[in-house]
Amino acid sequence: MARSPVLLLLLLLLPPPPPIMGFGLLGADSRRPDCGPCRPERCPAPARCPAPGIPARDECGCCARCLGAEGARCGGRAGARCGPELVCASRAAAAGVAPDGTGLCVCAQRGAVCGSDGRSYPSVCALRLRARHAPGRHPGHLHKVRDGPCEFAPVIVIPPRSVHNITGAQVYLSCEVRAVPPPVITWRKITRSPEGAQVLEDLPGDHVNIAVQVRGGPSDHEATAWILINPLRKEDEGVYQCTSANAVGEAQSQGKVTVGDLSTYRAPRFPAPHDRM
């Protein structure tokens, strides 16, 4: 049945029906529902950012916010957004169980680098951040020389300590060294020739009671060497030298082993129970 012109006119003048709940459309310029209106006067005072000069806004695009530096917490509304060349990494987040802000800003290019200033940086991102904010900078004043830490001569972090024990027992000396590239660590015993000249004897040599061991650690670019003497003999008494060397340089340190005779050793006397009465 055809509708009259008057009825069509009334339908056009009626207001549109409200949208069905859950199916309303948002305009192209609409904001996230949880953001609310932007009110800059309510934004917190801007802090001193670890990477100043890089503008950033919060997730709602309203308040100024610091970008996360390397090692900063990131992810979600509770964590920062990472700065240039950094990514937000989290093992838990990859599994889909991490709460907000549990990631860490890490450099997209992993690994330590050596800078043109002779310093080692944990990542190329750390080097570029230093170059960006160094006083008196100019283009190219600080750049990466090579991947990996800068080379440096051995430094003995913990030298061998002098020890004392009796014949038949055992003693050991240790030497902890830091260097890049990894050093070669050797032990020598310092003796005197009949003419009084100093003689260096490589160890373990032919000594069946002496063992030498070297392993990496405990920290990066460190190595620790031990020398174990068991059983200890009177002729083992003397000065033992730890020598560490790489392509850059060399370092040495010494420890002394003193040996007492078991026949002359007197154990400490403890009072008998009746002496304490």
Side-chain angles (χ1 to χ4, degrees):
M1 182 176 67
R3 296 179 179 177
S4 66
V6 176
L7 180 58
L8 292 174
L9 180 62
L10 291 175
L11 289 174
L12 292 173
L13 293 176
L14 290 174
I20 299 176
M21 185 64 67
F23 292 89
L25 299 178
L26 297 176
D29 59 346
S30 299
R31 298 168 54 78
R32 285 170 38 179
D34 56 342
C35 284
C38 179
R39 297 179 179 175
E41 68 277 4
R42 295 188 177 182
C43 292
R48 183 176 180 181
C49 299
I54 305 175
R57 296 285 174 181
D58 60 12
E59 289 78 3
C60 294
C62 181
C63 300
R65 190 174 182 182
C66 292
L67 292 176
E70 196 168 3
R73 294 287 181 182
C74 61
R77 295 179 61 82
R81 287 187 295 162
C82 298
E85 304 178 10
L86 303 178
V87 295
C88 186
S90 172
R91 293 181 181 177
V97 296
D100 287 349
T102 58
L104 286 178
C105 292
V106 298
C107 188
Q109 301 180 44
R110 305 293 181 87
V113 296
C114 178
S116 56
D117 57 352
R119 294 178 55 184
S120 298
Y121 293 84
S123 69
V124 69
C125 299
L127 182 146
R128 290 171 180 166
L129 181 64
R130 172 77 176 181
R132 188 182 301 125
H133 304 296
R137 64 183 186 275
H138 58 82
H141 78 287
L142 178 57
H143 58 276
K144 183 181 79 170
V145 174
R146 67 180 185 89
D147 292 324
C150 298
E151 295 183 346
F152 60 91
V155 176
I156 297 181
V157 182
I158 300 179
R161 296 181 178 179
S162 297
V163 293
H164 174 274
N165 214 328
I166 58 174
T167 55
Q170 71 174 26
V171 296
Y172 78 92
L173 299 107
S174 64
C175 183
E176 189 175 313
V177 183
R178 190 168 186 267
V180 175
V184 175
I185 305 177
T186 56
W187 286 94
R188 295 184 177 94
K189 184 179 180 182
I190 301 177
T191 59
R192 294 285 177 181
S193 68
E195 295 77 19
Q198 180 175 284
V199 178
L200 297 178
E201 179 187 3
D202 292 330
L203 298 174
D206 296 330
H207 298 274
V208 295
N209 66 327
I210 295 180
V212 173
Q213 182 181 6
V214 180
R215 73 176 184 185
S219 302
D220 292 341
H221 316 303
E222 288 187 0
T224 303
W226 292 269
I227 182 168
L228 173 67
I229 308 175
N230 183 30
L232 189 62
R233 303 174 302 186
K234 186 62 180 177
E235 54 266 32
D236 295 321
E237 187 171 78
V239 176
Y240 291 78
Q241 182 184 82
C242 166
T243 301
S244 175
N246 65 6
V248 185
E250 181 179 298
Q252 298 174 347
S253 188
Q254 301 173 355
K256 186 176 181 180
V257 174
T258 304
V259 183
D261 192 349
L262 181 59
S263 61
T264 59
Y265 175 74
R266 299 181 63 182
R269 180 181 180 275
F270 297 97
H274 62 272
D275 293 339
R276 303 195 195 107
M277 300 298 291

